[in-house]
Amino acid sequence: MKILLVCQAGMSTSLLVEKMRENASSDIVIDATNVGEFHSKINDYDVILIGPQLRYRKAEYEKLSNEMGKPLAFIDPMMYGRLMGKEVLDEAIELVGKK
Amino acid sequence: MSDEVKSKSNSFMEKVLKFMEEKLAPTLGKFAQNKIVKTITNGMMGVIGVLVIGSFFLLIYVFGSNYLPFLKPLGPAALNGYQLTLGIVGLFVAASISGAYAKEYELDLVQTMLIGVGAFLLLTSKVEDGKIAIGNLGSSAMFTAIICSLVSGAIMKFCKDKKIYIRMPAGVPPAIEATFAFLVSGTIVFTLMWIVKSVLNIDVITAVVAIFAPLFSAAENIWVYTFRWIVGEVLWIVGIHPESIIDAITGPATTQWIAENAEAALAGAPIPHIWTPGLDRITVIVSSCYSLLYLMFRSKLKEMKALATASLLPVLFTIAEPLLFGIPIVFNPYLSLPWVLSIGAAAFANWGLTAIGLVPKWIVLLPWMTPAPFQAFLGTGGDLRGLILVVVDFLIGLAIYYPFWKMYEKSLLEKEKEKASEA
């Protein structure tokens, strides 16, 4: 399974990515990218998680998610700020399962 | 504060925050989605690498001239390095904006960039004695570069949409087809720019500067600066990342201003601009985060101490999200107000101290995540007085946060006690 995290610069999400990788099995790929790049990368991943500070783009991203058929969700602010890698990972896995 | 007053102000805050999220956020979202805004934003982001590396050359030159004699022999070479990067920033902007336009409007990337660069050269330069003046390619031409690239891209898109191109028979390699596909639109773009500059000798750069200059000089004052920061931070506390929107507007201007400051510093001229990306990086992090971390480390709450430890490194590299979303500060009635106030006060103080000459202006563009003390020292060209801002901002933040933090701490301690007694 391939998970992509998106935030403004790709910096703050990369912190979370590290925590998630610690909790993930070896067959799960987790990457971080920034707002500019993610449109081109979306096809390579199974689920997209967006940083909460980009919530104002909700409408645009939900549309993108439907068009591309990829599950997309905004990371819960608390989990994001407190770098709760395991919880975010579980959410991502759940999202892929629901598809 | 009495409980009643506290709960009234809390619900007022909640109403304000709710309004911002439901009314303001979607509007900002639309603005950020606008294709032209995105093109300019992404295009300006694209050149930052070149600008920062160019700034390193400038740093070598400045340090060599003033502080580190062993670097002095590298001076002329460093100057050359600076001039061919920061010194011709307009050229890089033309390439980057053209590229961003191509990505946004789905044109061939390479062709759009090449034609955009060619258009910019034709629009701004004349060859005399086998030379072109690099002054026409530098910071003063930055806005010309943006406009030129947008026009160039628009013409190419128009031709593509209206199917104005030379068709190739099947079996021709795609790369050749791409070149020919843009032959017509490229010719239109080049001819247009050629007529304007080479034939009619119109000085577009001066015209563009004359049009935009009043707007920018009007914006370059302490009130607009403070306002920009207050508005930006209010957006943060409703969880909206303001940089992508505000930077789309201020980014091109501040980039031009730091480039102009660098040129002035090299020429030994007085440095014109206070508002630079470096000043912004100090304003945003020291008063709000450094002071808060200090309070968190001294807190009785184990949770806060742990969060402070986890957030230390990110904050040092100017990433505030762990505090903003981790405490959290967003939607927090106790901490959201001091967050905005501390940054607003810091903005006002930073501008003021620079304006009265106590603190130097920035002349070097550093990577955005450079820790604040280094930003203050290196960004000003090695002037230790820059650190005054860091100290002042820290104290401002501490003074503003202290009462609010104490209230917040108290509320958390009370909640802990309640939970303990319930258990």
Side-chain angles (χ1 to χ4, degrees):
Chain A
M1 179 182 358
K2 298 177 92 173
I3 308 174
L4 182 65
L5 271 68
V6 183
C7 84
Q8 184 66 19
M11 291 284 156
S12 26
T13 39
S14 61
L15 300 170
L16 185 57
V17 164
E18 285 308 307
K19 280 290 174 88
M20 286 170 74
R21 284 185 185 150
E22 282 168 26
N23 287 290
S25 55
S26 51
D27 61 331
I28 302 183
V29 171
I30 310 172
D31 292 321
T33 188
N34 62 52
V35 151
E37 303 266 306
F38 110 89
H39 285 80
S40 53
K41 295 190 175 174
I42 194 173
N43 264 321
D44 304 330
Y45 293 85
D46 302 306
V47 58
I48 320 285
L49 297 175
I50 316 260
Q53 72 274 62
L54 291 171
R55 252 182 19 246
Y56 66 96
R57 296 229 200 172
K58 194 162 177 237
E60 180 192 351
Y61 290 158
E62 274 171 0
K63 190 165 161 245
L64 191 65
S65 160
N66 290 330
E67 276 172 24
M68 306 288 268
K70 306 269 175 180
L72 181 145
F74 287 88
I75 305 172
D76 173 81
M78 268 284 210
M79 290 194 207
Y80 180 79
R82 299 206 174 189
L83 301 176
M84 294 160 86
K86 183 168 185 317
E87 287 78 354
V88 176
L89 179 66
D90 289 341
E91 271 204 12
I93 295 174
E94 215 189 297
L95 272 173
V96 177
K98 270 195 219 157
K99 206 181 91 169
Chain B
M1 246 196 226
S2 72
D3 282 338
E4 202 189 271
V5 175
K6 231 194 293 172
S7 70
K8 274 210 197 124
S9 71
N10 283 356
S11 65
F12 171 72
M13 272 297 260
E14 272 161 31
K15 281 210 196 99
V16 170
L17 297 176
K18 199 160 175 274
F19 164 79
M20 301 216 98
E21 199 186 351
E22 283 170 18
K23 294 279 157 61
L24 196 57
T27 317
L28 292 173
K30 283 241 175 70
F31 179 75
Q33 270 171 259
N34 175 281
K35 281 180 153 28
I36 303 264
V37 171
K38 264 173 147 184
T39 301
I40 298 178
T41 310
N42 292 336
M44 293 310 294
M45 273 209 286
V47 292
I48 288 179
V50 172
L51 295 187
V52 168
I53 302 170
S55 289
F56 287 148
F57 289 123
L58 180 60
L59 267 175
I60 294 175
Y61 180 78
V62 169
F63 273 80
S65 315
N66 299 327
Y67 306 110
L68 303 171
F70 72 89
L71 279 179
K72 204 162 181 165
L74 273 179
L79 198 57
N80 204 38
Y82 158 82
Q83 280 171 319
L84 290 171
T85 49
L86 251 174
I88 53 173
V89 60
L91 188 65
F92 292 103
V93 168
S96 192
I97 301 263
S98 299
Y101 192 96
K103 282 196 197 168
E104 200 56 41
Y105 289 90
E106 287 167 13
L107 300 170
D108 182 276
L109 182 64
V110 174
Q111 290 306 311
T112 311
M113 284 179 81
L114 290 176
I115 291 177
V117 168
F120 177 70
L121 286 169
L122 282 166
L123 187 64
T124 57
S125 305
K126 273 201 153 168
V127 183
E128 268 150 40
D129 274 339
K131 300 192 179 125
I132 56 175
I134 60 172
N136 289 333
L137 305 176
S139 61
S140 53
M142 230 184 65
F143 275 86
T144 306
I146 296 176
I147 296 171
C148 177
S149 304
L150 292 175
V151 167
S152 164
I155 293 176
M156 292 176 73
K157 175 157 172 51
F158 180 79
C159 289
K160 182 184 176 197
D161 290 344
K162 303 287 178 191
K163 307 224 188 285
I164 305 172
Y165 56 82
I166 301 174
R167 267 151 262 244
M168 286 277 110
V172 174
I176 297 185
E177 210 188 334
T179 316
F180 276 91
F182 293 101
L183 204 57
V184 176
S185 52
T187 306
I188 298 174
V189 172
F190 279 10
T191 309
L192 177 65
M193 305 304 171
W194 174 74
I195 291 175
V196 170
K197 181 69 178 175
S198 306
V199 176
L200 298 175
N201 208 13
I202 298 175
D203 190 344
V204 179
I205 297 175
T206 307
V208 169
V209 168
I211 296 172
F212 282 97
L215 185 64
F216 290 139
S217 48
E220 264 195 277
N221 63 63
I222 194 171
W223 306 109
V224 173
Y225 190 65
T226 307
F227 181 71
R228 172 255 181 273
W229 278 105
I230 292 182
V231 167
E233 297 317 309
V234 168
L235 290 173
W236 256 126
I237 60 171
V238 293
I240 297 172
H241 192 132
E243 262 61 44
S244 44
I245 303 158
I246 297 183
D247 271 356
I249 305 167
T250 63
T254 57
T255 307
Q256 172 151 348
W257 289 335
I258 187 74
E260 284 178 9
N261 278 9
E263 276 173 28
L266 280 174
I271 303 188
H273 302 288
I274 299 177
W275 191 338
T276 52
L279 190 70
D280 284 346
R281 296 316 296 161
I282 304 285
T283 304
V284 76
I285 200 84
V286 181
S287 64
S288 54
C289 294
Y290 281 37
S291 50
L292 195 55
L293 276 183
Y294 176 78
L295 290 169
M296 287 166 77
F297 272 119
R298 306 196 61 191
S299 172
K300 294 193 206 89
L301 293 156
K302 271 185 269 165
E303 201 189 347
M304 286 298 146
K305 274 220 218 6
L307 194 54
T309 312
S311 311
L312 185 61
L313 221 54
V315 166
L316 213 57
F317 287 96
T318 75
I319 296 173
E321 273 92 330
L323 292 180
L324 271 165
F325 292 106
I327 298 176
I329 298 176
V330 298
F331 291 109
N332 183 330
Y334 294 93
L335 298 180
S336 32
L337 188 61
W339 174 272
V340 177
L341 289 179
S342 63
I343 293 184
F348 192 85
N350 290 348
W351 187 287
L353 288 173
T354 312
I356 62 174
L358 196 65
V359 169
K361 303 190 181 99
W362 258 252
I363 58 172
V364 175
L365 185 68
L366 296 165
W368 65 265
M369 65 207 110
T370 309
F374 289 103
Q375 178 73 253
F377 175 61
L378 292 173
T380 53
D383 195 329
L384 283 169
R385 292 178 303 156
L387 293 168
I388 295 176
L389 289 179
V390 178
V391 175
V392 169
D393 283 1
F394 178 73
L395 294 172
I396 289 177
L398 213 54
I400 292 179
Y401 263 110
Y402 191 77
F404 294 94
W405 174 254
K406 281 295 160 201
M407 282 195 283
Y408 183 58
E409 243 192 332
K410 190 157 171 257
S411 76
L412 289 177
L413 283 167
E414 278 170 8
K415 253 196 247 166
E416 257 188 29
K417 262 193 227 143
E418 272 177 30
K419 264 200 248 170
S421 61
E422 275 168 26

